[in-house]
Every structure is written in C-alpha cells, then in structure tokens.
Amino acid sequence: MKSSPLKSLPWILLACALGGVLWLALALVNAENVRHGLMSGLCADPLFKGEIDASCLPGVQSRAHWWQHLQHGLTHLHR
C-alpha cells in the first residue's frame, strides 16, 4: 500500500512553522544585540564625537549570551 501524501502534510507544516519561529528568533536576537550596543555606546566613533561607527555594529557583542537578547526582546516593548 502506498501512503497518502496528505499524511506527511502536517509534519511538513510543522517543520516550516518551526523554521519560521527559529528565523524570527535569530532576527530578534540580532536586532536586540545591535539596539543594546547602540544604547550602551559600544560603537561610538573615536574620531567624531556623538557619531556611530557603523563598521562596529555587525560584530558588537553587547550582552554575554544570545538568550539574554532573546529574553529582553520578548519581554520589553520599545517604542
């Protein structure tokens, strides 16, 4: 007997949903890392006072662990 393709559909949808949640969590961690780095002044430009060094932002590590960014991003709403 051949199995129906509809039997695998819920598993495919579950895998897609989990992939989407993972992708959104990674995006939130990255955005919160950059936001906290900017708010903490970790990427201040050494030559121009009050300006931001944009090359610093992709590599900034503003908290010790990624889960701290996720927790803060999920529990604090910023306007």
Side-chain angles (χ1 to χ4, degrees):
M1 278 182 113
K2 292 184 178 180
S3 68
S4 171
L6 291 178
K7 287 185 178 181
S8 62
L9 182 63
W11 293 108
I12 293 171
L13 292 175
L14 178 66
C16 289
L18 289 176
V21 168
L22 179 66
W23 179 74
L24 288 173
L26 289 172
L28 179 62
V29 166
N30 184 41
E32 180 58 29
N33 183 35
V34 170
R35 187 204 66 81
H36 190 257
L38 287 171
M39 296 299 288
S40 302
L42 295 176
C43 288
D45 195 330
L47 296 178
F48 301 103
K49 300 298 179 200
E51 295 295 321
I52 298 166
D53 183 9
S55 63
C56 165
L57 286 176
V60 70
Q61 196 63 15
S62 60
R63 290 191 177 103
H65 300 284
W66 64 269
W67 54 266
Q68 291 173 327
H69 295 298
L70 185 63
Q71 183 266 339
H72 191 272
L74 289 174
T75 57
H76 293 81
L77 297 176
H78 298 284
R79 293 179 190 192

